[in-house]
Amino acid sequence: MTESPATKPANGDVCQRVKNGLKADRNGLVKSLHSCHERQRKHHCQSEEEEVHATSHHGGLYNRPFIESFEETPMLVAVLTYMGYGILTIFGYLRDFLRHWKIERCHIAREKEEQKDFVPLYQDFENFYTRNLYMRIRDNWNRPICSVPGAKMDLMERASYDYNWTFDYTGRIVQDVINLGSYNYLGFAENTGPCAESAAEVTVKYGVGVASTRQEIGNLDRHEEMEKLVAKFLGVESAMAFGMGFATNSMNIPALAGKGCLILSDELNHASLVLGARLSGSTIRVFKHNNMQSLEKQLREAIVHGQPRTHRPWKKILIVVEGIYSMEGSIVRLPEVIALKKRYRAYLYLDEAHSIGALGPRGRGVVDYFGLDPCDVDVLMGTFTKSFGAAGGYIAGKRELIEYLRSHSHSAVYATSMSPPVVEQIITSMKCIMGEDGTTIGCERVRQLAENTVYFRKRLREMGFIIYGNEDSPVVPMMLYMPAKIGAFGREMLKRNIGVVVVGFPATPIIESRARFCISAAHTKDMLDRALSVICEVGDLLQLKYSRHKIQPSLARPFDDNVYEDIDD
Protein backbone atom coordinates (compact mmCIF):
# COMPACT_ATOMS: atom_id res chain seq x y z
CA MET A 1 0.00 0.00 0.00
CA THR A 2 3.01 2.25 0.28
CA GLU A 3 5.83 2.93 -2.11
CA SER A 4 9.38 4.15 -2.06
CA PRO A 5 10.13 7.89 -2.22
CA ALA A 6 9.94 9.74 -5.50
CA THR A 7 12.91 10.65 -7.60
CA LYS A 8 13.23 13.87 -9.50
CA PRO A 9 14.90 14.13 -12.91
CA ALA A 10 17.65 16.64 -13.41
CA ASN A 11 15.53 19.18 -15.26
CA GLY A 12 12.95 19.34 -12.50
CA ASP A 13 10.21 17.43 -14.31
CA VAL A 14 8.69 14.62 -12.31
CA CYS A 15 8.08 11.34 -14.12
CA GLN A 16 5.86 9.30 -11.88
CA ARG A 17 4.94 5.66 -11.55
CA VAL A 18 1.69 4.11 -10.49
CA LYS A 19 0.99 3.04 -6.96
CA ASN A 20 0.55 -0.65 -7.73
CA GLY A 21 4.19 -1.07 -8.60
CA LEU A 22 3.82 -1.36 -12.37
CA LYS A 23 5.78 0.54 -14.95
CA ALA A 24 4.36 3.86 -16.03
CA ASP A 25 3.66 2.58 -19.56
CA ARG A 26 2.37 -0.83 -18.58
CA ASN A 27 -0.50 -1.72 -16.30
CA GLY A 28 -1.50 -5.20 -17.40
CA LEU A 29 -3.66 -3.97 -20.27
CA VAL A 30 -3.04 -0.65 -21.90
CA LYS A 31 0.46 0.59 -22.58
CA SER A 32 -0.55 4.22 -22.90
CA LEU A 33 -2.65 4.28 -19.72
CA HIS A 34 -0.02 5.65 -17.33
CA SER A 35 2.17 7.97 -19.36
CA CYS A 36 4.15 11.04 -18.48
CA HIS A 37 4.10 14.33 -20.34
CA GLU A 38 5.97 14.50 -23.68
CA ARG A 39 8.90 16.33 -22.12
CA GLN A 40 9.04 13.84 -19.27
CA ARG A 41 9.23 10.76 -21.51
CA LYS A 42 12.89 11.53 -22.21
CA HIS A 43 13.75 10.73 -18.61
CA HIS A 44 13.79 7.34 -16.96
CA CYS A 45 11.78 6.81 -13.79
CA GLN A 46 14.23 5.23 -11.36
CA SER A 47 11.98 4.29 -8.44
CA GLU A 48 8.34 3.75 -7.65
CA GLU A 49 6.28 6.82 -6.79
CA GLU A 50 4.31 7.55 -3.69
CA GLU A 51 1.87 9.70 -5.67
CA VAL A 52 -0.30 8.26 -8.42
CA HIS A 53 -0.84 10.65 -11.30
CA ALA A 54 -2.36 8.25 -13.81
CA THR A 55 -3.15 10.78 -16.48
CA SER A 56 -4.18 9.03 -19.65
CA HIS A 57 -4.67 10.69 -22.98
CA HIS A 58 -8.05 11.00 -24.67
CA GLY A 59 -8.85 8.07 -26.91
CA GLY A 60 -7.66 5.40 -24.49
CA LEU A 61 -9.69 3.57 -21.90
CA TYR A 62 -9.79 6.71 -19.76
CA ASN A 63 -11.29 9.95 -20.99
CA ARG A 64 -10.23 12.01 -17.96
CA PRO A 65 -7.25 12.21 -15.57
CA PHE A 66 -7.17 9.49 -12.93
CA ILE A 67 -5.15 10.84 -10.00
CA GLU A 68 -4.66 9.03 -6.70
CA SER A 69 -2.07 9.44 -3.96
CA PHE A 70 -0.80 7.06 -1.30
CA GLU A 71 2.22 8.68 0.26
CA GLU A 72 4.62 6.36 2.03
CA THR A 73 4.59 6.26 5.81
CA PRO A 74 7.68 8.12 7.10
CA MET A 75 10.12 5.65 8.66
CA LEU A 76 10.36 7.46 11.99
CA VAL A 77 6.56 7.62 12.27
CA ALA A 78 6.25 3.91 11.48
CA VAL A 79 8.85 3.01 14.12
CA LEU A 80 7.19 5.19 16.77
CA THR A 81 3.78 3.73 15.89
CA TYR A 82 5.03 0.17 16.38
CA MET A 83 6.67 1.23 19.64
CA GLY A 84 3.39 2.75 20.81
CA TYR A 85 1.47 -0.44 20.14
CA GLY A 86 4.25 -2.46 21.75
CA ILE A 87 4.09 -0.40 24.96
CA LEU A 88 0.29 -0.69 25.04
CA THR A 89 0.57 -4.46 24.61
CA ILE A 90 3.07 -4.81 27.46
CA PHE A 91 0.87 -2.79 29.81
CA GLY A 92 -2.13 -4.80 28.61
CA TYR A 93 -0.51 -8.05 29.72
CA LEU A 94 0.40 -6.43 33.03
CA ARG A 95 -3.18 -5.30 33.59
CA ASP A 96 -4.52 -8.74 32.64
CA PHE A 97 -2.17 -10.22 35.26
CA LEU A 98 -3.53 -7.81 37.88
CA ARG A 99 -7.10 -8.64 36.87
CA HIS A 100 -6.42 -12.36 37.12
CA TRP A 101 -5.32 -11.95 40.73
CA LYS A 102 -8.21 -9.53 41.41
CA ILE A 103 -5.81 -6.67 42.16
CA GLU A 104 -7.52 -4.61 39.47
CA ARG A 105 -11.26 -4.67 38.99
CA CYS A 106 -12.32 -6.61 35.93
CA HIS A 107 -15.12 -5.09 33.83
CA ILE A 108 -15.06 -7.57 30.98
CA ALA A 109 -17.56 -10.39 30.42
CA ARG A 110 -16.33 -13.73 31.74
CA GLU A 111 -17.60 -17.29 31.92
CA LYS A 112 -19.33 -18.04 35.20
CA GLU A 113 -17.32 -19.96 37.76
CA GLU A 114 -19.89 -22.79 37.82
CA GLN A 115 -19.49 -23.16 34.05
CA LYS A 116 -15.72 -23.45 34.06
CA ASP A 117 -15.93 -27.09 32.94
CA PHE A 118 -18.11 -26.19 29.94
CA VAL A 119 -16.71 -25.66 26.48
CA PRO A 120 -15.97 -21.88 26.45
CA LEU A 121 -18.54 -19.74 24.68
CA TYR A 122 -15.76 -17.36 23.61
CA GLN A 123 -12.03 -17.12 24.05
CA ASP A 124 -11.02 -14.53 26.62
CA PHE A 125 -7.74 -13.71 24.90
CA GLU A 126 -9.59 -12.66 21.72
CA ASN A 127 -10.83 -9.62 23.62
CA PHE A 128 -7.31 -8.51 24.54
CA TYR A 129 -7.30 -5.66 22.02
CA THR A 130 -10.79 -4.54 23.02
CA ARG A 131 -10.20 -4.30 26.74
CA ASN A 132 -6.66 -2.93 26.68
CA LEU A 133 -6.49 -0.67 23.61
CA TYR A 134 -9.98 0.05 22.29
CA MET A 135 -11.40 0.91 25.71
CA ARG A 136 -8.85 3.68 26.17
CA ILE A 137 -10.34 5.62 23.26
CA ARG A 138 -13.88 4.21 23.20
CA ASP A 139 -15.34 7.65 23.92
CA ASN A 140 -14.63 8.58 20.28
CA TRP A 141 -17.24 6.14 18.98
CA ASN A 142 -20.98 5.52 19.41
CA ARG A 143 -21.64 9.14 20.30
CA PRO A 144 -25.43 9.63 20.35
CA ILE A 145 -26.77 12.44 18.20
CA CYS A 146 -30.15 14.10 18.77
CA SER A 147 -30.77 15.89 15.48
CA VAL A 148 -30.79 15.32 11.74
CA PRO A 149 -27.28 14.22 10.63
CA GLY A 150 -26.95 17.09 8.19
CA ALA A 151 -24.09 19.50 7.62
CA LYS A 152 -24.41 20.34 11.31
CA MET A 153 -25.77 18.19 14.13
CA ASP A 154 -26.40 18.14 17.88
CA LEU A 155 -24.65 15.66 20.18
CA MET A 156 -25.62 14.44 23.62
CA GLU A 157 -22.76 15.07 26.03
CA ARG A 158 -21.61 12.11 28.09
CA ALA A 159 -18.94 11.39 30.67
CA SER A 160 -17.20 8.27 31.93
CA TYR A 161 -15.87 7.68 35.43
CA ASP A 162 -14.51 4.16 34.90
CA TYR A 163 -12.18 4.67 31.95
CA ASN A 164 -14.81 4.32 29.19
CA TRP A 165 -16.39 1.08 30.39
CA THR A 166 -19.67 2.88 31.02
CA PHE A 167 -21.00 6.36 30.20
CA ASP A 168 -23.30 8.76 32.02
CA TYR A 169 -25.23 11.44 30.17
CA THR A 170 -24.81 14.93 31.58
CA GLY A 171 -28.05 16.25 30.09
CA ARG A 172 -26.21 18.91 28.09
CA ILE A 173 -26.54 19.13 24.32
CA VAL A 174 -23.54 20.10 22.22
CA GLN A 175 -25.15 22.11 19.44
CA ASP A 176 -24.14 23.00 15.88
CA VAL A 177 -21.32 20.51 15.56
CA ILE A 178 -20.01 20.53 11.97
CA ASN A 179 -20.59 16.99 10.72
CA LEU A 180 -17.64 15.54 8.81
CA GLY A 181 -18.51 11.92 9.50
CA SER A 182 -21.91 11.09 7.97
CA TYR A 183 -22.29 9.60 4.49
CA ASN A 184 -24.66 12.41 3.60
CA TYR A 185 -22.93 13.09 0.29
CA LEU A 186 -25.73 15.01 -1.43
CA GLY A 187 -27.31 16.49 1.68
CA PHE A 188 -30.62 14.62 1.43
CA ALA A 189 -30.49 13.64 5.13
CA GLU A 190 -32.73 16.53 6.15
CA ASN A 191 -36.04 17.10 7.94
CA THR A 192 -37.28 19.87 5.67
CA GLY A 193 -37.86 20.12 1.94
CA PRO A 194 -39.63 17.94 -0.65
CA CYS A 195 -38.14 14.63 0.54
CA ALA A 196 -39.30 15.07 4.14
CA GLU A 197 -42.72 16.32 3.02
CA SER A 198 -43.27 13.40 0.64
CA ALA A 199 -42.17 10.87 3.26
CA ALA A 200 -44.60 12.40 5.77
CA GLU A 201 -47.50 12.16 3.30
CA VAL A 202 -46.73 8.52 2.51
CA THR A 203 -46.48 7.71 6.22
CA VAL A 204 -50.02 9.00 6.73
CA LYS A 205 -51.30 6.98 3.76
CA TYR A 206 -49.37 3.68 4.13
CA GLY A 207 -48.06 3.70 7.69
CA VAL A 208 -44.49 3.05 8.76
CA GLY A 209 -44.24 -0.72 8.36
CA VAL A 210 -45.56 -3.22 5.81
CA ALA A 211 -45.45 -6.29 8.10
CA SER A 212 -44.96 -8.76 5.27
CA THR A 213 -42.48 -9.87 2.60
CA ARG A 214 -42.62 -8.73 -1.01
CA GLN A 215 -43.70 -12.20 -2.18
CA GLU A 216 -46.70 -12.29 0.14
CA ILE A 217 -48.76 -9.14 0.73
CA GLY A 218 -45.98 -6.63 1.28
CA ASN A 219 -45.48 -5.49 -2.32
CA LEU A 220 -46.68 -1.88 -2.57
CA ASP A 221 -47.13 0.22 -5.68
CA ARG A 222 -44.41 2.49 -4.31
CA HIS A 223 -41.96 -0.43 -4.30
CA GLU A 224 -42.69 -1.08 -7.98
CA GLU A 225 -42.27 2.59 -8.87
CA MET A 226 -39.01 2.81 -6.95
CA GLU A 227 -37.47 -0.18 -8.73
CA LYS A 228 -38.48 1.12 -12.17
CA LEU A 229 -36.97 4.48 -11.27
CA VAL A 230 -33.71 2.87 -10.09
CA ALA A 231 -33.40 0.95 -13.38
CA LYS A 232 -34.03 4.14 -15.35
CA PHE A 233 -31.54 6.09 -13.22
CA LEU A 234 -28.82 3.49 -13.78
CA GLY A 235 -29.63 2.91 -17.46
CA VAL A 236 -30.27 -0.84 -17.15
CA GLU A 237 -33.21 -3.14 -17.85
CA SER A 238 -34.35 -3.92 -14.33
CA ALA A 239 -33.61 -3.48 -10.62
CA MET A 240 -34.80 -4.75 -7.26
CA ALA A 241 -34.47 -3.25 -3.79
CA PHE A 242 -33.67 -4.69 -0.36
CA GLY A 243 -34.24 -3.32 3.12
CA MET A 244 -30.60 -3.55 4.23
CA GLY A 245 -27.48 -2.58 2.34
CA PHE A 246 -25.21 -5.08 4.11
CA ALA A 247 -27.64 -7.92 3.37
CA THR A 248 -27.80 -6.87 -0.27
CA ASN A 249 -24.24 -8.13 -0.63
CA SER A 250 -24.10 -10.89 1.94
CA MET A 251 -27.37 -12.53 0.85
CA ASN A 252 -27.20 -12.07 -2.93
CA ILE A 253 -23.66 -13.17 -3.73
CA PRO A 254 -24.52 -16.71 -2.47
CA ALA A 255 -27.42 -16.72 -4.94
CA LEU A 256 -25.11 -15.82 -7.81
CA ALA A 257 -22.13 -18.08 -7.08
CA GLY A 258 -21.64 -21.44 -5.41
CA LYS A 259 -19.50 -24.53 -5.35
CA GLY A 260 -17.38 -24.83 -8.46
CA CYS A 261 -17.34 -21.06 -8.97
CA LEU A 262 -14.41 -18.71 -8.49
CA ILE A 263 -14.67 -15.28 -6.89
CA LEU A 264 -11.81 -12.83 -7.50
CA SER A 265 -12.05 -10.21 -4.76
CA ASP A 266 -10.16 -6.96 -4.30
CA GLU A 267 -8.13 -7.14 -1.09
CA LEU A 268 -9.83 -4.01 0.29
CA ASN A 269 -13.43 -5.10 -0.33
CA HIS A 270 -16.03 -4.35 2.35
CA ALA A 271 -16.94 -6.92 5.01
CA SER A 272 -20.37 -7.46 3.42
CA LEU A 273 -18.72 -8.58 0.18
CA VAL A 274 -16.30 -10.82 2.05
CA LEU A 275 -19.12 -12.42 4.04
CA GLY A 276 -21.23 -12.95 0.93
CA ALA A 277 -18.32 -14.60 -0.86
CA ARG A 278 -17.67 -16.91 2.08
CA LEU A 279 -21.33 -17.86 2.44
CA SER A 280 -21.50 -18.75 -1.24
CA GLY A 281 -19.14 -21.70 -0.85
CA SER A 282 -17.15 -20.54 -3.87
CA THR A 283 -13.40 -20.61 -4.09
CA ILE A 284 -12.11 -17.14 -3.21
CA ARG A 285 -8.88 -15.63 -4.46
CA VAL A 286 -7.76 -12.13 -3.60
CA PHE A 287 -5.97 -9.74 -5.93
CA LYS A 288 -4.03 -6.64 -4.94
CA HIS A 289 -6.04 -3.47 -4.63
CA ASN A 290 -6.66 -1.80 -7.99
CA ASN A 291 -3.76 -3.77 -9.47
CA MET A 292 -4.73 -4.87 -12.96
CA GLN A 293 -1.62 -6.98 -13.41
CA SER A 294 -2.50 -8.97 -10.28
CA LEU A 295 -6.11 -9.40 -11.45
CA GLU A 296 -5.07 -10.50 -14.93
CA LYS A 297 -2.64 -13.03 -13.46
CA GLN A 298 -5.43 -14.51 -11.35
CA LEU A 299 -7.73 -14.70 -14.38
CA ARG A 300 -5.10 -16.38 -16.50
CA GLU A 301 -4.27 -18.95 -13.85
CA ALA A 302 -7.96 -19.65 -13.28
CA ILE A 303 -8.53 -20.37 -16.97
CA VAL A 304 -5.32 -22.34 -17.51
CA HIS A 305 -5.46 -24.53 -14.38
CA GLY A 306 -9.21 -24.69 -13.73
CA GLN A 307 -10.54 -26.05 -10.47
CA PRO A 308 -8.16 -27.60 -7.92
CA ARG A 309 -7.52 -31.35 -8.22
CA THR A 310 -9.99 -31.96 -11.08
CA HIS A 311 -8.75 -29.10 -13.30
CA ARG A 312 -12.22 -28.79 -14.75
CA PRO A 313 -13.18 -25.33 -15.99
CA TRP A 314 -14.76 -23.08 -13.40
CA LYS A 315 -18.53 -22.90 -13.66
CA LYS A 316 -18.35 -19.15 -13.26
CA ILE A 317 -15.68 -16.53 -12.55
CA LEU A 318 -16.99 -13.47 -10.69
CA ILE A 319 -14.85 -10.35 -10.23
CA VAL A 320 -15.97 -8.36 -7.17
CA VAL A 321 -14.92 -4.72 -6.74
CA GLU A 322 -16.20 -1.49 -5.17
CA GLY A 323 -16.76 1.91 -6.75
CA ILE A 324 -15.22 3.93 -3.90
CA TYR A 325 -13.30 2.12 -1.19
CA SER A 326 -14.57 3.62 2.04
CA MET A 327 -11.34 3.38 4.04
CA GLU A 328 -8.91 4.41 1.31
CA GLY A 329 -10.89 7.00 -0.65
CA SER A 330 -9.76 5.11 -3.75
CA ILE A 331 -11.81 4.73 -6.95
CA VAL A 332 -11.84 1.46 -8.85
CA ARG A 333 -10.04 1.37 -12.20
CA LEU A 334 -13.28 0.37 -13.86
CA PRO A 335 -12.34 0.74 -17.55
CA GLU A 336 -9.49 -1.71 -17.11
CA VAL A 337 -11.56 -4.12 -15.02
CA ILE A 338 -14.26 -4.19 -17.69
CA ALA A 339 -11.66 -4.74 -20.43
CA LEU A 340 -10.18 -7.68 -18.50
CA LYS A 341 -13.62 -9.07 -17.76
CA LYS A 342 -14.48 -9.05 -21.45
CA ARG A 343 -11.14 -10.51 -22.50
CA TYR A 344 -11.40 -13.48 -20.13
CA ARG A 345 -15.20 -13.79 -20.25
CA ALA A 346 -15.74 -13.36 -16.55
CA TYR A 347 -18.61 -11.66 -14.73
CA LEU A 348 -18.33 -8.35 -12.88
CA TYR A 349 -20.03 -7.49 -9.56
CA LEU A 350 -19.70 -3.76 -8.79
CA ASP A 351 -20.54 -2.42 -5.32
CA GLU A 352 -21.45 1.26 -5.64
CA ALA A 353 -22.44 1.84 -2.02
CA HIS A 354 -20.30 4.98 -1.70
CA SER A 355 -20.06 6.00 -5.36
CA ILE A 356 -23.72 6.07 -6.46
CA GLY A 357 -24.90 9.66 -6.30
CA ALA A 358 -21.46 10.86 -5.27
CA LEU A 359 -19.56 10.43 -8.56
CA GLY A 360 -20.18 11.29 -12.16
CA PRO A 361 -21.47 14.45 -13.85
CA ARG A 362 -25.04 13.16 -13.43
CA GLY A 363 -24.46 11.55 -10.03
CA ARG A 364 -24.91 8.04 -11.43
CA GLY A 365 -21.85 6.51 -9.89
CA VAL A 366 -18.48 5.29 -11.04
CA VAL A 367 -19.87 4.06 -14.37
CA ASP A 368 -21.03 7.60 -15.10
CA TYR A 369 -17.74 8.99 -13.76
CA PHE A 370 -15.78 7.11 -16.44
CA GLY A 371 -18.46 7.55 -19.13
CA LEU A 372 -18.96 3.79 -19.56
CA ASP A 373 -21.91 1.70 -20.65
CA PRO A 374 -23.73 0.32 -17.55
CA CYS A 375 -24.60 -2.80 -19.54
CA ASP A 376 -20.90 -3.74 -19.40
CA VAL A 377 -21.29 -4.38 -15.67
CA ASP A 378 -23.12 -7.64 -15.05
CA VAL A 379 -24.28 -6.89 -11.50
CA LEU A 380 -24.70 -3.30 -10.32
CA MET A 381 -25.11 -3.08 -6.56
CA GLY A 382 -25.57 0.04 -4.47
CA THR A 383 -27.14 1.38 -1.31
CA PHE A 384 -29.65 4.10 -0.53
CA THR A 385 -28.06 4.85 2.83
CA LYS A 386 -25.52 7.40 1.64
CA SER A 387 -26.33 9.81 -1.15
CA PHE A 388 -30.09 9.31 -0.93
CA GLY A 389 -30.39 9.79 2.84
CA ALA A 390 -32.53 6.66 3.22
CA ALA A 391 -31.91 2.97 3.94
CA GLY A 392 -31.54 -0.30 2.06
CA GLY A 393 -29.80 -1.38 -1.13
CA TYR A 394 -30.42 -2.49 -4.69
CA ILE A 395 -29.23 -4.93 -7.35
CA ALA A 396 -29.60 -3.89 -10.99
CA GLY A 397 -28.78 -5.38 -14.37
CA LYS A 398 -30.41 -7.50 -17.03
CA ARG A 399 -34.04 -8.50 -16.58
CA GLU A 400 -33.16 -12.21 -16.44
CA LEU A 401 -30.75 -11.58 -13.57
CA ILE A 402 -33.33 -9.70 -11.51
CA GLU A 403 -36.07 -12.28 -12.12
CA TYR A 404 -33.67 -15.00 -11.00
CA LEU A 405 -32.80 -13.13 -7.78
CA ARG A 406 -36.47 -12.51 -6.95
CA SER A 407 -36.94 -16.22 -6.47
CA HIS A 408 -33.48 -17.32 -5.31
CA SER A 409 -32.21 -14.53 -3.05
CA HIS A 410 -32.75 -15.15 0.66
CA SER A 411 -32.99 -11.42 1.24
CA ALA A 412 -35.77 -11.12 -1.35
CA VAL A 413 -37.73 -14.16 -0.18
CA TYR A 414 -37.55 -13.85 3.60
CA ALA A 415 -36.91 -10.19 4.40
CA THR A 416 -39.71 -7.78 5.30
CA SER A 417 -40.52 -5.13 2.70
CA MET A 418 -38.93 -1.70 2.88
CA SER A 419 -40.74 0.89 4.95
CA PRO A 420 -43.02 3.14 2.80
CA PRO A 421 -41.56 6.48 3.99
CA VAL A 422 -38.05 5.17 3.27
CA VAL A 423 -39.17 4.17 -0.23
CA GLU A 424 -40.65 7.63 -0.77
CA GLN A 425 -37.42 9.27 0.39
CA ILE A 426 -35.56 7.26 -2.25
CA ILE A 427 -38.04 8.11 -5.01
CA THR A 428 -38.10 11.83 -4.25
CA SER A 429 -34.31 12.23 -3.88
CA MET A 430 -33.61 10.18 -7.02
CA LYS A 431 -36.07 12.21 -9.08
CA CYS A 432 -34.37 15.32 -7.75
CA ILE A 433 -30.96 14.07 -8.92
CA MET A 434 -32.42 13.15 -12.32
CA GLY A 435 -34.13 16.52 -12.66
CA GLU A 436 -37.58 14.95 -12.93
CA ASP A 437 -38.86 17.18 -10.13
CA GLY A 438 -38.69 20.14 -12.48
CA THR A 439 -35.75 21.77 -10.72
CA THR A 440 -31.96 21.82 -11.03
CA ILE A 441 -31.39 21.25 -7.30
CA GLY A 442 -30.08 17.71 -7.82
CA CYS A 443 -27.57 18.74 -10.49
CA GLU A 444 -26.40 21.62 -8.36
CA ARG A 445 -25.81 19.31 -5.40
CA VAL A 446 -23.79 16.89 -7.51
CA ARG A 447 -21.67 19.77 -8.77
CA GLN A 448 -21.30 21.26 -5.29
CA LEU A 449 -20.13 17.93 -3.88
CA ALA A 450 -17.43 17.67 -6.56
CA GLU A 451 -16.25 21.23 -5.88
CA ASN A 452 -16.23 20.71 -2.09
CA THR A 453 -14.24 17.49 -2.48
CA VAL A 454 -11.50 18.99 -4.65
CA TYR A 455 -11.24 22.08 -2.43
CA PHE A 456 -11.09 20.15 0.85
CA ARG A 457 -8.48 17.67 -0.37
CA LYS A 458 -6.31 20.39 -1.90
CA ARG A 459 -6.31 22.47 1.28
CA LEU A 460 -5.40 19.50 3.50
CA ARG A 461 -2.43 18.67 1.28
CA GLU A 462 -1.29 22.26 1.31
CA MET A 463 -1.26 22.12 5.12
CA GLY A 464 1.12 19.15 5.05
CA PHE A 465 -1.19 16.24 5.97
CA ILE A 466 -0.90 12.84 4.31
CA ILE A 467 -4.16 12.24 2.43
CA TYR A 468 -5.06 8.96 0.75
CA GLY A 469 -7.22 8.26 -2.26
CA ASN A 470 -8.49 9.76 -5.47
CA GLU A 471 -8.76 13.52 -5.83
CA ASP A 472 -12.45 13.16 -6.80
CA SER A 473 -13.43 10.90 -3.90
CA PRO A 474 -15.63 12.52 -1.21
CA VAL A 475 -14.17 10.00 1.26
CA VAL A 476 -11.02 11.70 2.56
CA PRO A 477 -8.71 9.61 4.82
CA MET A 478 -6.16 11.68 6.75
CA MET A 479 -3.39 9.64 8.31
CA LEU A 480 -2.88 9.71 12.10
CA TYR A 481 -0.71 6.59 12.54
CA MET A 482 0.04 6.56 16.29
CA PRO A 483 -2.53 4.93 18.62
CA ALA A 484 -2.50 7.78 21.16
CA LYS A 485 -3.30 10.29 18.42
CA ILE A 486 -6.44 8.42 17.34
CA GLY A 487 -8.32 9.33 20.50
CA ALA A 488 -6.61 12.69 20.94
CA PHE A 489 -7.60 13.88 17.47
CA GLY A 490 -11.28 12.95 17.91
CA ARG A 491 -11.48 14.61 21.33
CA GLU A 492 -9.68 17.80 20.31
CA MET A 493 -11.86 18.19 17.24
CA LEU A 494 -15.05 17.78 19.26
CA LYS A 495 -13.82 20.37 21.76
CA ARG A 496 -13.81 22.77 18.83
CA ASN A 497 -17.28 21.69 17.65
CA ILE A 498 -16.17 19.51 14.75
CA GLY A 499 -17.47 15.93 14.61
CA VAL A 500 -15.12 13.47 12.90
CA VAL A 501 -14.71 9.71 12.56
CA VAL A 502 -11.39 8.18 13.61
CA VAL A 503 -10.46 4.67 12.51
CA GLY A 504 -7.80 2.25 13.71
CA PHE A 505 -6.86 -1.41 13.78
CA PRO A 506 -8.46 -3.86 12.90
CA ALA A 507 -10.46 -1.74 10.42
CA THR A 508 -7.14 -0.48 9.02
CA PRO A 509 -3.59 -1.88 8.97
CA ILE A 510 -2.04 -1.51 12.41
CA ILE A 511 0.29 1.37 11.46
CA GLU A 512 -2.21 3.19 9.25
CA SER A 513 -4.76 4.63 11.66
CA ARG A 514 -6.61 7.58 10.22
CA ALA A 515 -9.38 10.12 10.45
CA ARG A 516 -11.99 9.68 7.73
CA PHE A 517 -13.78 12.80 6.55
CA CYS A 518 -16.93 12.50 4.44
CA ILE A 519 -17.63 15.61 2.40
CA SER A 520 -21.21 16.67 1.66
CA ALA A 521 -22.87 19.00 -0.83
CA ALA A 522 -24.60 20.51 2.22
CA HIS A 523 -21.28 21.84 3.51
CA THR A 524 -20.85 25.51 2.72
CA LYS A 525 -17.44 27.02 2.01
CA ASP A 526 -17.57 28.76 5.39
CA MET A 527 -18.14 25.40 7.12
CA LEU A 528 -15.26 23.80 5.25
CA ASP A 529 -12.96 26.73 5.99
CA ARG A 530 -13.91 26.58 9.67
CA ALA A 531 -13.25 22.83 9.74
CA LEU A 532 -9.95 23.20 7.88
CA SER A 533 -8.82 25.88 10.29
CA VAL A 534 -9.54 23.60 13.24
CA ILE A 535 -7.87 20.62 11.57
CA CYS A 536 -4.78 22.74 10.96
CA GLU A 537 -4.75 23.87 14.59
CA VAL A 538 -5.17 20.35 15.96
CA GLY A 539 -2.64 19.06 13.43
CA ASP A 540 -0.05 21.44 14.83
CA LEU A 541 -1.00 20.55 18.40
CA LEU A 542 -0.66 16.78 17.81
CA GLN A 543 2.10 17.06 15.17
CA LEU A 544 0.09 15.31 12.45
CA LYS A 545 1.57 17.08 9.43
CA TYR A 546 3.65 14.13 8.32
CA SER A 547 3.91 14.83 4.59
CA ARG A 548 7.43 15.19 3.26
CA HIS A 549 6.25 17.00 0.15
CA LYS A 550 5.65 20.62 -0.56
CA ILE A 551 3.27 21.70 -3.28
CA GLN A 552 4.67 23.76 -6.13
CA PRO A 553 2.85 25.01 -9.23
CA SER A 554 3.93 23.32 -12.43
CA LEU A 555 3.45 24.25 -16.07
CA ALA A 556 4.75 20.89 -17.26
CA ARG A 557 1.66 18.93 -16.24
CA PRO A 558 -1.39 19.53 -18.42
CA PHE A 559 -3.98 17.88 -16.20
CA ASP A 560 -3.30 18.83 -12.59
CA ASP A 561 -2.37 22.05 -10.89
CA ASN A 562 0.25 20.71 -8.52
CA VAL A 563 3.19 18.36 -8.38
CA TYR A 564 4.86 17.14 -5.26
CA GLU A 565 8.49 17.62 -4.47
CA ASP A 566 10.32 15.87 -1.64
CA ILE A 567 11.38 17.97 1.30
CA ASP A 568 14.75 16.99 2.70
CA ASP A 569 14.35 15.48 6.16
Side-chain angles (χ1 to χ4, degrees), residues 16-307:
Q16 297 173 314
R17 292 180 184 258
V18 297
K19 175 245 180 184
N20 59 16
L22 307 179
K23 292 183 179 180
D25 62 347
R26 183 167 176 264
N27 191 20
L29 257 183
V30 183
K31 293 184 179 180
S32 64
L33 178 60
H34 300 294
S35 58
C36 298
H37 190 255
E38 197 65 39
R39 285 180 57 195
Q40 300 164 344
R41 289 181 183 176
K42 300 177 183 178
H43 302 277
H44 181 68
C45 295
Q46 299 176 355
S47 68
E48 295 176 1
E49 249 306 330
E50 297 166 357
E51 307 297 327
V52 180
H53 291 271
T55 56
S56 59
H57 299 295
H58 293 271
L61 284 183
Y62 289 76
N63 57 12
R64 57 176 295 141
F66 187 84
I67 304 173
E68 294 191 346
S69 62
F70 297 86
E71 186 176 332
E72 184 184 40
T73 306
M75 181 61 70
L76 177 61
V77 175
V79 170
L80 292 176
T81 302
Y82 278 120
M83 287 178 60
Y85 278 107
I87 293 170
L88 283 172
T89 302
I90 292 171
F91 276 90
Y93 279 114
L94 176 60
R95 296 187 70 182
D96 278 357
F97 175 79
L98 298 176
R99 291 179 186 127
H100 176 75
W101 293 101
K102 296 182 172 51
I103 299 173
E104 179 179 333
R105 184 179 177 185
C106 182
H107 297 274
I108 60 175
R110 288 178 175 272
E111 299 285 356
K112 293 181 179 180
E113 189 66 26
E114 56 268 25
Q115 292 180 326
K116 62 181 180 181
D117 295 329
F118 285 41
V119 175
L121 184 63
Y122 57 87
Q123 296 297 323
D124 183 63
F125 183 75
E126 292 176 356
N127 295 319
F128 179 87
Y129 178 87
T130 300
R131 63 179 177 264
N132 291 305
L133 283 80
Y134 168 73
M135 279 298 172
R136 291 173 174 265
I137 53 177
R138 183 178 169 227
D139 56 304
N140 285 279
W141 292 284
N142 309 121
R143 289 173 176 149
I145 69 172
C146 50
S147 69
V148 174
K152 290 186 177 182
M153 60 184 176
D154 297 337
L155 296 179
M156 296 179 65
E157 188 181 66
R158 60 183 183 176
S160 178
Y161 305 101
D162 55 3
Y163 304 101
N164 295 333
W165 287 98
T166 61
F167 292 98
D168 294 330
Y169 295 101
T170 64
R172 177 175 173 267
I173 303 298
V174 184
Q175 296 182 334
D176 295 330
V177 177
I178 296 178
N179 182 4
L180 291 179
S182 295
Y183 306 132
N184 185 26
Y185 297 129
L186 293 181
F188 284 114
E190 52 193 358
N191 56 2
T192 58
C195 290
E197 293 169 2
S198 298
E201 292 175 5
V202 167
T203 303
V204 173
K205 182 178 180 180
Y206 292 93
V208 174
V210 183
S212 181
T213 65
R214 293 284 298 277
Q215 292 191 352
E216 294 171 348
I217 57 172
N219 191 28
L220 302 178
D221 57 341
R222 307 307 290 167
H223 291 131
E224 296 286 340
E225 180 181 348
M226 174 186 62
E227 291 178 343
K228 290 178 182 177
L229 187 65
V230 170
K232 181 180 178 181
F233 179 66
L234 297 173
V236 294
E237 294 179 2
S238 186
M240 64 183 300
F242 305 87
M244 181 181 178
F246 191 97
T248 304
N249 279 331
S250 59
M251 292 290 101
N252 282 291
I253 292 178
L256 296 172
K259 189 175 181 181
C261 297
L262 174 65
I263 293 178
L264 299 179
S265 177
D266 190 290
E267 65 179 346
L268 296 183
N269 276 344
H270 189 264
S272 60
L273 293 169
V274 174
L275 178 60
R278 289 174 177 173
L279 291 175
S280 70
S282 305
T283 300
I284 304 170
R285 291 176 184 166
V286 178
F287 62 92
K288 295 178 182 178
H289 172 59
N290 251 355
N291 189 318
M292 297 303 104
Q293 206 171 43
S294 175
L295 174 58
E296 186 170 21
K297 180 182 178 183
Q298 296 277 15
L299 285 166
R300 282 177 176 173
E301 290 179 353
I303 292 173
V304 171
H305 299 294
Q307 298 184 41

